[in-house]
Amino acid sequence: SSWIKTEKILFIRTDQFIYIVASSIIWLLTGLWHGPNYTFIFWGFLNGTLLILFHLQIKPRKRFLKKIGLNNNHLLVIIIETIFTLTFVIVAWIIFKSNSLTDAKIYLRIVFSKSLFSVPSIFPKLTILSTIFYFTIEWIGRGDPFALAQLGASWKRIFRWSFYYCLIISIFYFAGRQQGFIYFQF
């Protein structure tokens, strides 16, 4: 109803206040549902906080982008948002999978140390190139339900099937060790 937007609680519009409280409760419960470990609770807190911040910045962001001559569909905006979201999700999952917040802090300190900017050996270079390759495939096929659906459809059969076999080989090469489904532990 329109009266909700005009009212204020703690200097915040009522509709935004309701969203903040509801999101905070839901994400706290989501963290607790995964277990009584502080890593799960902090993971829920991080996700809830980011969603609240995203919700609160929609209109100011739209005005800012309009002021600088961009919109949500501009390639630069999409790339920046994708990098930010991916980084946030990876950091949040590191916290989620850690045994304690101290372990997560140590691991994140190592991940984001100066070694992040050093030149890796040949296998990490191959991993980086493969990651860039797969991101590119996903980017090209982002409008399709399956990223590979149209990629190579017009290629000669020998090239298309060679490409598919290379993908399969790289999947097995980078597969790592077998792990149980994450939710089997709960």
Side-chain angles (χ1 to χ4, degrees):
S1 192
S2 61
W3 67 269
I4 290 179
K5 291 183 179 182
T6 59
E7 297 292 319
K8 291 193 177 196
I9 300 174
L10 299 174
F11 305 105
I12 302 170
R13 281 192 354 234
T14 305
D15 62 327
Q16 290 181 339
F17 184 81
I18 292 168
Y19 182 85
I20 291 168
V21 171
S23 294
S24 299
I25 291 170
I26 287 169
W27 281 99
L28 172 68
L29 293 175
T30 302
L32 285 172
W33 180 83
H34 286 92
N37 192 337
Y38 284 118
T39 57
F40 301 135
I41 296 167
F42 193 64
W43 171 82
F45 170 78
L46 283 176
N47 280 284
T49 301
L50 190 68
L51 286 173
I52 290 167
L53 291 174
F54 176 78
H55 179 76
L56 295 176
Q57 61 80 42
I58 289 173
K59 287 183 182 176
R61 179 177 172 274
K62 188 182 270 189
R63 284 191 301 267
F64 173 74
L65 289 175
K66 186 176 181 179
K67 188 176 183 178
I68 62 173
L70 299 176
N71 62 32
N72 287 335
N73 298 325
H74 191 276
L75 182 61
L76 180 64
V77 173
I78 292 170
I79 289 172
I80 290 170
E81 287 178 345
T82 301
I83 290 170
F84 176 80
T85 302
L86 183 62
T87 303
F88 176 82
V89 168
I90 290 169
V91 167
W93 279 111
I94 288 171
I95 294 167
F96 182 90
K97 286 294 288 177
S98 296
N99 292 327
S100 68
L101 290 176
T102 304
D103 288 351
K105 182 180 170 185
I106 291 168
Y107 190 75
L108 287 170
R109 186 179 297 139
I110 292 167
V111 167
F112 292 106
S113 68
K114 290 179 184 178
S115 68
L116 178 66
F117 302 102
S118 63
V119 178
S121 68
I122 184 67
F123 291 112
K125 284 181 187 175
L126 186 60
T127 303
I128 291 168
L129 290 174
S130 295
T131 303
I132 291 169
F133 174 73
Y134 286 117
F135 272 113
T136 304
I137 289 173
E138 284 293 325
W139 182 264
I140 291 168
R142 70 185 179 277
D144 295 324
F146 304 101
L148 291 173
Q150 298 300 319
L151 185 66
S154 62
W155 299 352
K156 290 186 177 183
R157 181 179 286 177
I158 184 80
F159 295 118
R160 185 174 62 244
W161 282 99
S162 297
F163 174 72
Y164 293 154
Y165 281 120
C166 286
L167 285 177
I168 292 168
I169 291 167
S170 70
I171 289 168
F172 282 114
Y173 178 78
F174 292 111
R177 61 184 173 87
Q178 183 177 359
Q179 296 181 355
F181 182 57
I182 191 169
Y183 283 102
F184 286 162
Q185 68 181 335
F186 299 110

